[in-house]
Amino acid sequence: MLTPIRRVVLIGFMGSGKSTAGPLLAAQLGWRFVDADEVIETEAGMPIAEIFSREGEAAFRRRERDSILRLAGEDGLVLALGGGAIETDETRGLLLSSPETLLIHLEVDLATALQRCGGTKGTRPVLADEANLEARYQRRLPLYRMAHLSIATDPLTSEQVVEAVIAALRNQGTGIGDRGV
Ligand code: S3P
């Protein structure tokens, strides 16, 4: 019996390509793309860096959890999450326990991530927190790897990442290949 997949959620460290591969994947599937960080910013009425500086990281994580719990119930959706969302137990639990959600980890080496994120410290407070960056990366890696699928993205273009995701969806009996994608 196939498990129909109604949404794909992309996780991975900053610079893993969630926000670039996500819209391409959504276009291929004929689904909507949503970037959770953009939703959080719209709802808060301020950019993420400002949420961090005015309210602190814990408050940002609560906002992030609330937005994701709501979005993760929508159908026909490719949802890209911020790199730290997976550390919130409630968020991770929900994503891993929904049978209609496919959780995909776009894996990236820390060195590649840093290279790709060059010049974005102003908008990425976690990137600016250099002293804790390596520890955050190491702490998150096993959590990301709990995803249904991990794709090593370092040598891949965004288009190749999407190809790899679609191929994996077909192989996993998600019903997606059956719809002619
Ligand atoms: C964060 C990653 C960011 C954003 C916030 C915190 C993190 O998203 O959610 O700045 O903790 O790694 P991206 O992974 O899209 O950069």
Side-chain angles (χ1 to χ4, degrees):
M1 222 348 232
L2 290 176
T3 305
I5 292 298
R6 299 190 189 282
R7 63 201 73 85
V8 170
V9 178
L10 301 177
I11 58 170
F13 205 67
M14 294 171 282
S16 58
K18 297 160 293 184
S19 306
T20 41
L24 300 177
L25 177 63
Q28 289 247 3
L29 298 175
W31 288 0
R32 202 158 69 89
F33 173 73
V34 174
D35 188 320
D37 282 341
E38 286 179 9
V39 173
I40 298 163
E41 289 185 326
T42 303
E43 288 177 352
M46 54 185 149
I48 286 175
E50 203 176 325
I51 304 177
F52 268 71
S53 62
R54 289 165 79 114
E55 302 180 353
E57 181 170 352
F60 170 76
R61 296 299 170 201
R62 285 192 293 276
R63 286 183 178 277
E64 181 177 52
R65 176 202 59 199
D66 292 349
S67 300
I68 293 169
L69 293 190
R70 202 182 57 248
L71 289 164
E74 292 187 17
D75 289 354
L77 183 73
V78 174
L79 177 64
L81 304 189
I86 202 69
E87 288 199 83
T88 303
D89 294 345
E90 217 178 331
T91 308
R92 189 173 64 255
L94 174 93
L95 296 171
L96 287 168
S97 65
S98 163
E100 295 171 333
T101 299
L102 196 76
L103 193 57
I104 300 183
H105 169 209
L106 302 187
E107 186 154 343
V108 63
D109 288 347
L110 183 56
T112 308
L114 292 178
Q115 197 183 10
R116 289 183 186 167
C117 292
T120 65
K121 274 186 202 155
T123 53
R124 285 183 159 117
V126 166
L127 190 64
D129 180 19
E130 285 175 30
N132 293 309
L133 201 58
E134 164 100 44
R136 282 198 205 247
Y137 179 88
Q138 296 302 341
R139 191 171 72 218
R140 290 175 182 177
L141 205 48
L143 302 178
Y144 293 139
R145 286 180 175 164
M146 293 170 87
H148 304 113
L149 184 69
S150 268
I151 297 172
T153 64
D154 289 81
L156 303 181
T157 62
S158 299
E159 288 76 14
Q160 288 170 328
V161 169
V162 172
E163 277 171 33
V165 171
I166 300 271
L169 289 170
R170 287 202 175 112
N171 288 338
Q172 293 215 343
T174 56
I176 283 183
D178 306 340
R179 292 202 292 273
V181 174

